[in-house]
Amino acid sequence: MHKKINWGIIGLGKIASKFATDLQLSDTAILHGVASRSMNKAVAFAEKFNAKKAYDSYEALANDPEIDVIYIATPHVFHFENTMLCLQHNKAVLCEKPLGINSTQVQTMIEEAKSRNVFLMEAIWTRFMPSYQKVLELLDEKTIGEIISIRADFGFLGELNPENRLYNKKLGGGSLLDIGIYPIFLSLLVLGMPTDINAMARITDTGVDSFCGMLFNYDTNAKAVLESTFEANTPTEAYIYGTKGTIKLHRRFHHANTITLYQDDTETVFELPHSGIGYIHEIEDVNRCMLNGETENSKLPLAFSEQLMSIIDQVKEKIGLRYE
């Protein structure tokens, strides 16, 4: 009989609730402990999601000898310190994206994990969606020929509240880190590292971007046209254009249930619904890694997260976005 993986969760907001909901769909996972700065919040969360233990400090959770892996769902700016705390207690970590807020943080986290031979992964659930497995399969088979360009947008109308995490610079606010990471992720997955990066943004009074437009160039001469915004509800679709056809990832492309393949005058629609809320696919892949004693996930290796943050850093430089 396989061992069950004991999970812990740090930071008990909306995304943690979604993750905990899907965690209960897994036959190989148990929600063992949860931690918040507020004991009342931790107890309420534990009761709601059947966690065995509730803690009022992150360190107490990291010290629990029965926990195998910890999911970090705190705001962006706390990812580094929370991840380092867990790694230094020799706990495997699945940290919500972005892994850090700059390349220095990401490299330090990776070095810590490798030095301890402990599992670390950035929680980009998109990579594990059934639709993305199909897209990669179609691309591997050269179904649309050579890739010419990618176009992807992610936008929603966010409440302009300077204290809200979307606009609060002290919490790592801005569209680039929050949702711009998804179009960039797709471009990196499909085309690799760009050779040239151009970007323009609208910066708010709080010092973060409410809109970011990006144009990437590649050594194949392919292009990526990417956009993120809190200013409008945009289609939130993605297109991969090739010499022999096009693949469309339908709304919202980062967890699409439908993709369409266009070739000449024919359309082929693939319905590839995700299970649960969508986090279960990522959860099961981490469980697999844990059971196999792996310290990296081959589908989302640490080098990929390094490259992703390197691109984001270059975009930040282009638009004059700096975090303390």
Side-chain angles (χ1 to χ4, degrees), residues 25 69 74 79 108 121 161 183 206 227 247 257 281:
L25 302 176
V69 56
T74 50
H79 289 177
T108 304
M121 189 180 108
N161 175 356
T206 61
E227 181 184 308
I247 297 169
N257 286 321
H281 304 289

Side-chain angles (χ1 to χ4, degrees), residues 23 80 163 224 248 279 299 311 316:
L23 199 60
F80 177 72
E163 297 306 310
K248 175 184 178 180
Y279 294 92
K299 289 182 184 173
I311 295 170
K316 286 189 328 204

Side-chain angles (χ1 to χ4, degrees), residues 58-304:
Y58 300 160
E59 187 144 9
L61 180 89
N63 268 316
D64 187 326
E66 293 186 72
I67 289 177
D68 300 308
V69 56
I70 297 173
Y71 172 61
I72 292 169
T74 50
H76 308 331
V77 291
F78 303 119
H79 289 177
F80 177 72
E81 64 176 271
N82 297 156
T83 297
M84 291 297 284
L85 169 73
C86 296
L87 292 174
Q88 286 162 2
H89 283 79
N90 292 308
K91 296 297 185 194
V93 174
L94 175 66
C95 179
E96 216 15 92
K97 57 81 193 161
L99 195 51
I101 56 165
N102 58 50
S103 291
T104 304
Q105 285 191 352
V106 169
Q107 285 160 8
T108 304
M109 292 150 86
I110 290 172
E111 284 166 14
E112 188 70 29
K114 287 186 173 179
S115 73
R116 293 174 178 274
N117 208 31
V118 171
F119 179 87
L120 173 64
M121 189 180 108
E122 186 172 12
I124 304 177
W125 65 327
T126 303
R127 176 64 183 86
F128 304 94
M129 293 290 168
S131 55
Y132 276 73
Q133 311 322 307
K134 187 64 182 178
V135 166
L136 291 173
E137 184 186 306
L138 291 171
L139 293 177
D140 285 344
E141 292 167 357
K142 298 283 185 185
T143 310
I144 61 166
E146 299 302 320
I147 299 169
I148 300 167
S149 63
I150 291 176
R151 184 181 293 273
D153 74 278
F154 198 143
F156 64 86
L157 193 56
E159 181 196 354
L160 185 49
N161 175 356
E163 297 306 310
N164 183 292
R165 71 168 188 86
L166 298 179
Y167 287 97
N168 189 333
K169 194 170 191 176
K170 289 179 181 174
L171 294 178
S175 81
L176 175 64
L177 284 189
D178 195 63
I179 52 177
I181 192 169
Y182 286 114
I184 296 172
F185 163 80
L186 179 63
S187 71
L188 180 58
L189 184 69
V190 171
L191 288 170
M193 284 294 283
T195 53
D196 297 295
I197 291 175
N198 288 293
M200 298 174 73
R202 250 189 302 277
I203 303 295
T204 66
D205 292 341
T206 61
V208 300
D209 66 296
S210 56
F211 168 91
C212 186
M214 297 162 273
L215 177 62
F216 297 170
N217 187 44
Y218 299 84
D219 53 16
T220 60
N221 209 24
K223 306 287 184 279
V225 183
L226 315 172
E227 181 184 308
S228 62
T229 182
F230 295 149
E231 300 175 351
N233 292 310
T234 70
T236 311
E237 297 170 338
Y239 292 85
I240 304 169
Y241 298 100
T243 51
K244 295 178 181 175
T246 299
I247 297 169
K248 175 184 178 180
L249 284 142
H250 292 248
R251 178 180 176 87
R252 290 180 162 186
F253 78 86
H254 70 303
H255 61 115
N257 286 321
T258 307
I259 61 174
T260 302
L261 171 65
Y262 301 94
Q263 291 174 300
D264 297 323
D265 297 326
T266 64
E267 287 182 26
T268 309
V269 179
F270 300 94
E271 295 294 348
L272 299 152
H274 53 69
S275 300
I277 297 169
Y279 294 92
I280 184 62
H281 304 289
E282 171 183 72
I283 289 165
E284 294 291 37
D285 229 84
V286 173
N287 288 338
R288 178 187 58 77
C289 290
M290 297 296 296
L291 291 167
N292 292 337
E294 295 168 20
T295 56
E296 282 189 58
N297 190 311
S298 58
K299 289 182 184 173
L300 196 68
L302 295 171
F304 186 96

